[in-house]
């Protein structure tokens, strides 16, 4: 395990959602601590499940991990970070009136404040806030969000340099200028290969390897050049006459053979597919240790798929079709197959005679690659953050900039170059797409959980601002995007998960967050069910025991109002023909 032999002081783990970043990063932190090092394990993922894996309550201050001397855990919670950030901004305004403070708090209520606050906490660790630890291990959000996080030091340093005017969505600019030195220190630490390294985690799957390749290149452009590649869950079959196990192995071999060239240049390590879920200290210690892996107890035999009566995706499509129109939001943790499910649902609805708009809010969107062809009755689009930002800036310059002189227009354009403008632009595009569902079906493939929650937060903030703007006119007719999301006749939220402990827990946590926002999920889809595919290989059979427990957990715990299951596919469901087969 080459990254364990010569670890950098700051060690980032990233990759496509669902590849095992949290498991590998946590196992790494435990191994380093067991070797006598003082380790801080940091989660920057809003959808982190480290509490379940380690049995420790997450906190925004470091807490010791029982059973692992030398290891402490901290979670950069976006909401807690935002509250702390707002308190610090107000503390810089000791002479402000109550009205002035209220106005600042209103400015600091949006999603970009949450982003800069989380980044501020992250920067403090890179800029000397973790001196008592030998190594800081970062368990990050999925790739698209991580690239955004790692690009922020350069973005904010560039924005603040020479800018001495207000930045309204982040509060008084003076507060940000006080952080400029910290941001610059963070940038220096990130781009120093003697201090910072990145572990790209992937599974032997085409999509995960392609995303790891793109991430490797983008990280190099950000001057993060010290990289390792970890291939997780590499499977070797033991039965020659089991078609399912042979197909699982063949998929992995084909994906590895077509690995992007940039990944071949990196130091590489392989972690075998284990028969156990990576939950609890024994399993996490065994994940990177073959000798320990052989000592864990064998799993019980699972129930059959027939006995569990698992309804198909076709039945879900039939139900959605009966609605006639509406917004179908496909949500979940990264890597669970949201894009595949969204495309299959859209094609299924088209086959029922509906006109469908299929769109994505995911920075790492792959809809075009998944479909591979155009389809009559299906309109495919993407909410591209960079394109939407350009469009938003052009619109602001054409409206707010109209009538301004050259100097005033230059100042307005400078303000619009703030990194938080992207969040505002994406929200406006999202709101426009939500409105389209009033006249037909819109199927939306959302970004991984943490990024989706930030989008929901922006939606809620806009809703509150609209209601405050109405004042006493409570009878005024207004329909905000949040109200549409809360309307079960307008919006059906489909939560996608995998039949494993961590994805099910994260789907449950996402459902709790949605319910707090007044949004009730319509159904869950359990994707890539090996139980439904019926393998006979002993290792895969051992994995099935955990899968059947998760199905019972969902049903008996009544996590899902409805549960639909999609079997593991011998061939990746790419292309219109394969996706239509899922819908049938």
């Amino acid at each position: 395990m080459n990254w364990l032999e010569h670890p950098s002081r700051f060690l980032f783990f990233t990759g496509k959602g669902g590849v095992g970043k949290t498991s590998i990063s946590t196992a790494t932190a435990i191994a380093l601590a067991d070797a006598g090092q003082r380790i801080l394990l940091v989660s920057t993922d809003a959808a982190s499940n480290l509490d379940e894996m380690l049995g420790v309550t997450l906190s925004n201050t470091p807490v010791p991990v029982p059973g692992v001397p030398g290891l402490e855990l901290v979670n950069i919670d976006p909401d807690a970070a935002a509250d702390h950030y707002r308190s610090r901004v107000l503390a810089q305004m000791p002479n402000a009136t109550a009205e002035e403070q209220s106005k600042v708090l209103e400015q600091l209520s949006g999603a970009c404040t949450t982003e800069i606050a989380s980044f501020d906490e992250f920067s403090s660790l890179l800029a000397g806030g973790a001196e008592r630890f030998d190594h800081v291990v970062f368990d990050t959000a999925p790739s698209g969000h991580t690239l955004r996080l790692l690009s922020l030091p350069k973005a904010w340093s560039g924005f603040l340099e020479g800018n001495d005017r207000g930045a309204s969505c982040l509060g008084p600019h003076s507060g940000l200028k006080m952080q400029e030195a910290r941001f610059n220190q963070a940038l220096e630490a990130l781009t120093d290969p003697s201090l910072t390294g990145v572990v790209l985690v992937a599974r032997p799957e085409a999509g995960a390897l392609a995303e790891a390749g793109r991430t490797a290149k983008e990280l190099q452009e950000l001057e993060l050049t010290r990289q390792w590649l970890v291939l997780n869950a590499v499977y070797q079959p033991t039965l020659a006459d089991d078609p399912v196990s042979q197909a699982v192995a063949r998929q992995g071999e084909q994906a590895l053979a077509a690995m992007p060239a940039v990944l071949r240049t990196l130091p590489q390590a392989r972690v075998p597919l284990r028969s156990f879920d990576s939950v609890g200290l024994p399993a996490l210690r065994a994940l990177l240790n073959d000798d320990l892996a052989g000592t864990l107890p064998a799993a019980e035999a699972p129930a059959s798929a027939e006995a569990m009566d698992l309804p198909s995706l076709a039945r879900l499509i039939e139900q959605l079709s009966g609605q006639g129109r509406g917004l179908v939001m496909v949500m979940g943790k990264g890597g669970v197959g949201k894009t595949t499910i969204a495309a299959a649902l859209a094609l299924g609805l088209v086959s029922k005679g509906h006109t469908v708009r299929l769109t994505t809010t995911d920075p790492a969107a792959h809809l075009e690659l998944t479909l591979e062809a155009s389809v009559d009755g299906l309109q495919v689009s993407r909410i591209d953050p960079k394109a939407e930002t350009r469009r938003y800036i052009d619109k602001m310059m054409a409206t707010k900039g109209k009538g301004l002189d050259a100097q005033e227009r230059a100042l307005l354009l400078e303000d619009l170059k703030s990194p938080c403008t992207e969040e505002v632009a994406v929200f406006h595009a999202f709101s426009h797409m939500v409105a389209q569902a009033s006249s037909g079906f819109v199927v939306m493939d959302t970004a991984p959980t943490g990024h989706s929650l930030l989008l929901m937060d922006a939606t809620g903030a806009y809703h509150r601002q609209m209601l405050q703007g109405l004042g006493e006119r409570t009878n005024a007719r207004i329909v905000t995007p949040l109200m549409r999301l809360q309307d079960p006749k307008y919006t059906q939220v489909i939560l996608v998960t995998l039949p494993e402990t961590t994805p099910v827990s994260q789907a449950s946590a996402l459902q709790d967050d949605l319910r707090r926002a007044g949004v009730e999920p319509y159904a869950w889809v359990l994707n890539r069910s090996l139980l439904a595919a019926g393998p006979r290989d002993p290792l895969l059979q051992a994995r099935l025991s955990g899968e059947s427990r998760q199905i019972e957990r969902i049903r008996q715990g009544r996590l899902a109002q409805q549960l639909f299951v999609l079997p593991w596919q011998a061939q990746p469901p790419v292309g219109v023909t394969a996706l239509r087969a899922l819908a049938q």
Side-chain angles (χ1 to χ4, degrees):
M1 303 297 179
N2 44 29
W3 78 96
L4 279 172
E5 295 167 6
H6 305 287
S8 54
R9 170 158 166 68
F10 300 112
L11 201 55
F12 287 85
F13 287 77
T14 188
K16 184 177 173 65
V19 297
K21 294 184 307 296
T22 299
S23 298
I24 298 292
S25 62
T26 305
T28 296
I30 292 171
L32 292 173
D34 286 345
Q37 302 289 304
R38 294 168 300 168
I39 307 299
L40 179 63
L41 176 59
V42 183
S43 172
T44 67
D45 190 346
S48 175
N49 68 313
L50 274 171
D51 52 346
E52 182 177 22
M53 293 179 67
L54 291 171
V56 179
T57 301
L58 294 181
S59 170
N60 58 355
T61 57
V63 295
V65 177
V68 191
L71 176 60
E72 296 185 32
L73 169 66
V74 66
N75 176 236
I76 299 180
D77 178 80
D79 293 332
D83 287 341
H84 186 213
Y85 183 84
R86 282 187 281 265
S87 297
R88 292 207 322 274
V89 170
L90 290 180
Q92 297 166 19
M93 305 170 57
N95 300 319
T97 65
E99 182 178 351
E100 290 171 335
Q101 290 188 353
S102 177
K103 183 176 180 181
V104 168
L105 287 176
E106 184 178 341
Q107 292 172 343
L108 297 176
S109 64
C112 56
T113 299
T114 302
E115 178 183 75
I116 192 65
S118 298
F119 166 65
D120 192 43
E121 299 279 338
F122 158 75
S123 295
S124 69
L125 296 172
L126 293 170
E131 292 180 346
R132 63 188 179 91
F133 297 99
D134 297 308
H135 299 280
V136 183
V137 177
F138 290 90
D139 170 39
T140 71
S143 305
H145 200 62
T146 298
L147 287 168
R148 169 80 172 156
L149 178 73
L150 295 179
S151 68
L152 282 173
K154 183 176 291 186
W156 280 112
S157 295
F159 177 69
L160 291 172
E161 186 177 358
N163 187 341
D164 58 358
R165 296 175 304 99
S168 61
C169 68
L170 302 175
H173 192 275
S174 58
L176 277 178
K177 291 295 283 186
M178 293 179 66
Q179 309 302 104
E180 186 172 4
R182 180 188 293 180
F183 293 175
N184 288 332
Q185 281 183 277
L187 180 60
E188 289 177 10
L190 279 176
T191 55
D192 184 347
S194 69
L195 289 177
T196 299
V198 181
V199 178
L200 298 159
V201 183
R203 289 199 176 200
E205 301 168 357
L209 289 165
E211 185 156 322
R214 285 190 296 272
T215 302
K217 290 180 179 178
E218 292 192 49
L219 289 172
Q220 289 171 2
E221 291 171 1
L222 292 171
E223 298 180 60
L224 278 82
T225 56
R226 188 177 181 184
Q227 300 176 14
W228 297 269
L229 174 65
V230 175
L231 296 168
N232 187 31
V234 178
Y235 171 64
Q236 294 293 331
T238 58
L239 289 181
D241 61 346
D242 180 7
V244 175
S245 64
Q246 290 297 318
V248 172
R250 188 166 55 252
Q251 276 191 18
E253 291 166 0
Q254 290 171 347
L256 292 174
M259 182 189 302
V262 66
L263 297 182
R264 298 182 185 279
T265 66
L266 303 180
Q268 181 188 126
R270 299 191 178 195
V271 178
L273 177 68
R274 302 299 189 187
S275 62
F276 49 83
D277 287 334
S278 301
V279 177
L281 291 180
L284 288 165
R285 282 192 166 105
L287 181 61
L288 304 179
N289 188 311
D290 292 339
D291 294 334
L292 289 177
T295 66
L296 293 186
E300 300 174 358
S304 68
E306 292 77 11
M308 301 194 79
D309 184 26
L310 306 177
S312 69
L313 204 62
R315 196 182 304 181
L316 172 59
I317 292 168
E318 192 72 36
Q319 290 181 198
L320 294 173
S321 177
Q323 303 278 349
R325 61 174 176 79
L327 173 66
V328 180
M329 289 190 71
V330 182
M331 304 182 73
K333 179 181 182 290
V336 296
K338 296 185 305 297
T339 301
T340 297
I341 299 299
L345 291 177
L347 288 170
L349 290 170
V350 169
S351 72
K352 299 290 183 184
H354 302 287
T355 298
V356 180
R357 294 179 177 87
L358 173 61
T359 190
T360 181
T361 66
D362 191 342
H366 311 294
L367 280 177
E368 292 85 355
L369 294 176
T370 301
L371 285 165
E372 289 190 332
S374 60
V375 176
D376 290 341
L378 180 64
Q379 178 184 327
V380 180
S381 64
R382 176 189 174 200
I383 298 177
D384 183 316
K386 289 183 171 55
E388 297 301 337
T389 301
R390 288 195 299 271
R391 191 175 295 115
Y392 179 78
I393 291 175
D394 290 344
K395 180 180 178 181
M396 290 297 100
M397 293 301 296
T399 53
K400 286 191 175 183
K402 187 178 181 180
L404 299 180
D405 61 30
Q407 183 177 4
E408 290 170 333
R409 285 177 62 83
L411 291 174
L412 175 60
L413 182 59
E414 187 177 335
D415 268 347
L416 289 170
K417 290 180 179 178
S418 160
C420 67
T421 298
E422 181 178 301
E423 298 290 343
V424 178
V426 169
F427 166 70
H428 279 275
F430 167 75
S431 300
H432 175 73
M433 191 58 65
V434 169
Q436 300 300 305
S438 61
S439 58
F441 275 108
V442 173
V443 178
M444 187 174 291
D445 166 35
T446 70
T449 305
H451 201 70
S452 294
L453 291 177
L454 283 176
L455 187 60
M456 293 289 291
D457 177 64
T459 308
Y462 174 79
H463 176 78
R464 291 189 295 274
Q465 290 171 6
M466 289 294 292
L467 294 183
Q468 289 171 1
L470 287 173
E472 299 297 324
R473 294 178 293 156
T474 54
N475 293 324
R477 295 185 63 183
I478 177 174
V479 178
T480 69
L482 181 61
M483 292 166 67
R484 284 181 162 140
L485 298 183
Q486 292 170 334
D487 182 356
K489 295 181 180 178
Y490 193 95
T491 300
Q492 286 80 46
V493 173
I494 311 298
L495 296 185
V496 182
T497 188
L498 298 178
E500 301 171 12
T501 303
T502 296
V504 170
S505 295
Q506 292 182 328
S508 177
L510 172 57
Q511 181 166 258
D512 290 341
D513 286 328
L514 290 170
R515 284 172 171 167
R516 281 191 285 274
V519 179
E520 181 62 36
Y522 179 81
W524 286 31
V525 172
L526 196 69
N527 192 23
R528 300 179 199 158
S529 170
L530 274 171
L531 182 64
R536 292 184 288 107
D537 180 277
L539 175 57
L540 298 184
Q541 282 278 326
R543 301 286 303 177
L544 298 192
S545 299
E547 181 173 328
S548 63
R549 285 196 300 273
Q550 294 310 310
I551 292 173
E552 288 303 316
R553 173 187 174 194
I554 294 169
R555 286 178 163 174
Q556 293 180 5
R558 297 182 179 176
L559 296 180
Q561 290 196 22
Q562 300 183 90
L563 175 64
F564 301 88
V565 176
L566 189 62
W568 180 87
Q569 305 294 307
Q571 293 295 328
V574 176
V576 172
T577 301
L579 290 165
R580 278 179 171 153
L582 299 185
Q584 297 168 359

